[in-house]
């Protein structure tokens, strides 16, 4: 498994809020649900993503797919002057209000998973939000800008076409179908953006295509429990120890052992939260010989013990 696949494996939709928005100008929709990742696809028409704060608005054209990163609210609109009050404000799954905080009226609900001000509106946007968390997900999110866009020049791709067909259906298992389509849209958009001219991809992404560093990255992600050393990774990559260490550090931006430690601890942090496995068991899963060894490394990097991390996550969830 490559590094991008490993990171995306932890960023998956599960019962996500997925909606179709059909609007006639002037229009504005506010997103205040504070999800870490929101996907926006322009099926028809154009619009602007206006993040809160100092970030510049980002234009969307027909067929474009955008990803908004971070929990800060943002607005979708056709109004460059940002004077149009929101038609509705999205606060979370099945919870939308007017700009004044009142519950939205039936005139806004146009059908299953569909809101707006006119079924014949010239602008159609699909939106999907992810409730993601954990240290592994953070490694991906920290590599992305506030807003990124994959430009499709007016022609929606096949995944988006299929999503348009599925979003208004109401059949058994429909949410699972939409979740997987949202995952495919996310993956294809990230992959396209990472290879585009506007991207500034992280070192681990650029290194994946390198025969030396890329081979080592796949091994680290696939088999974190192996007792890797620089020498062992160099042998797997087919180069000398010095050549491997230099090349990996130059491309990834971290020495091999530092990257390995970060990856192991990110996996451990998520396993502590998402499973009931003992610290000893998790330590061995991620490459430490004992709970004590994991605890020492965990405290050095995160400033807390594994058991404390698990307890804090449980308190937040409760």
């Amino acid at each position: 498994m490559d590094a991008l696949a490993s990171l995306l494996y932890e960023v998956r939709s599960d019962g996500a809020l997925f909606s179709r928005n059909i609007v006639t100008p002037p229009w504005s929709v506010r997103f205040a649900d504070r999800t870490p990742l929101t996907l926006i696809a322009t099926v028809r028409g154009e619009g602007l993503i206006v993040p809160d704060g100092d970030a510049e608005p980002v234009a969307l054209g027909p067929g474009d797919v955008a990803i908004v990163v971070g929990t800060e609210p943002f607005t979708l609109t056709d109004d460059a002057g940002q004077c149009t009050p929101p038609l509705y404000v999205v606060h979370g799954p099945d919870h939308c209000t007017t700009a004044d905080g009142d519950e939205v009226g039936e005139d806004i609900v146009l059908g299953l998973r569909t809101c707006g001000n006119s079924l014949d509106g010239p602008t159609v946007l699909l939106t999907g939000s992810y409730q993601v968390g954990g240290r592994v997900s953070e490694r991906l999110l920290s590599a992305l800008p506030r807003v990124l866009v994959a430009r499709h020049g007016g022609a929606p791709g096949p995944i988006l076409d299929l999503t348009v067909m599925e979003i208004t259906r109401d059949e058994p298992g429909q949410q699972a179908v939409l979740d997987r389509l949202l995952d495919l849209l996310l993956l294809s958009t990230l992959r396209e953006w990472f290879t585009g001219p506007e991207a500034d991809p992280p070192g681990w992404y650029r290194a994946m295509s390198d025969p030396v560093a890329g081979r080592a990255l796949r091994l680290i992600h696939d088999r974190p429990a192996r007792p890797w050393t620089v020498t062992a990774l160099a042998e797997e990559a087919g180069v000398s120890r010095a050549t491997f260490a230099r090349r990996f550090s130059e491309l990834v931006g971290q020495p091999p052992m530092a990257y390995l430690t970060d990856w192991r601890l990110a996996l451990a942090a998520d396993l502590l939260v998402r499973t009931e496995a003992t610290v000893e068991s998790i330590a061995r899963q991620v490459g430490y010989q004992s709970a004590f060894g994991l605890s020492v490394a965990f405290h050095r990097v995160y400033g807390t013990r594994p058991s404390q991390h698990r307890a804090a996550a449980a308190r937040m969830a409760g």
Side-chain angles (χ1 to χ4, degrees), residues 227-252:
W228 294 116
T229 63
V230 175
T231 300
L233 288 168
E235 289 176 353
E236 291 281 358
V239 295
S240 71
R241 185 183 188 281
T243 297
F244 168 72
R246 181 177 64 254
R247 190 156 181 166
F248 189 100
S249 298
E250 289 175 350
L251 291 175
V252 178

Side-chain angles (χ1 to χ4, degrees), residues 234-285:
E235 289 176 353
E236 291 281 358
V239 295
S240 71
R241 185 183 188 281
T243 297
F244 168 72
R246 181 177 64 254
R247 190 156 181 166
F248 189 100
S249 298
E250 289 175 350
L251 291 175
V252 178
Q254 276 184 294
M257 292 298 99
Y259 185 93
L260 173 62
T261 296
D262 284 353
W263 179 242
R264 284 173 167 171
L265 294 179
L267 291 174
D270 287 358
L271 287 170
L272 286 163
V273 173
R274 297 174 184 174
T275 75
E276 296 181 355
T278 65
V279 176
E280 183 76 30
S281 172
I282 290 172
R284 296 189 182 281
Q285 287 183 59

Side-chain angles (χ1 to χ4, degrees), residues 38-221:
T38 303
L39 187 142
I40 302 161
T42 314
V43 179
R44 187 172 71 227
E46 299 177 343
L48 289 169
I49 299 173
V50 184
D52 282 13
D54 299 329
E56 290 293 320
V58 178
L60 295 178
D64 290 349
V65 182
I67 296 172
V68 182
V69 179
T71 58
E72 289 302 309
F74 65 93
T75 300
L76 277 176
T77 183
D78 71 332
D79 180 8
Q82 304 175 43
C83 298
T84 304
L87 184 63
Y88 48 90
V89 181
V90 178
H91 297 280
D94 303 318
H95 184 205
C96 294
T97 69
T98 66
D100 296 328
D102 298 325
E103 294 299 317
V104 296
E106 294 184 359
D107 56 323
I108 297 298
V109 181
L110 303 179
L112 182 64
R113 303 187 188 91
T114 302
C115 293
N117 56 11
S118 172
L119 278 172
D120 299 321
T123 301
V124 179
L125 303 111
L126 301 186
T127 62
S129 58
Y130 279 83
Q131 287 288 355
V132 298
R135 297 287 181 172
V136 171
S137 298
E138 286 177 8
R139 293 171 71 87
L140 174 62
L141 299 185
S142 65
L144 303 177
R146 173 75 166 120
V147 180
L148 63 89
V149 183
R151 307 284 182 188
H152 292 148
I159 301 173
L160 183 53
D161 283 338
L162 182 57
T163 306
V164 171
M165 292 173 56
E166 291 286 341
I167 197 168
T168 57
R169 297 177 69 177
D170 187 15
E171 298 181 6
Q174 195 64 34
Q175 182 64 54
V177 172
L178 291 172
D179 283 341
R180 299 294 76 77
L181 286 171
L182 185 57
D183 289 341
L184 284 171
L185 273 173
L186 176 69
L187 175 57
S188 61
T189 300
L190 285 173
R191 190 168 57 182
E192 185 173 347
W193 181 81
F194 272 134
T195 58
E198 297 180 2
D200 181 19
W204 51 259
Y205 185 86
R206 295 191 299 268
M208 284 191 296
S209 60
D210 182 77
V212 173
R215 167 71 173 160
L217 282 170
R218 285 188 290 274
L219 289 169
I220 288 171
H221 281 252

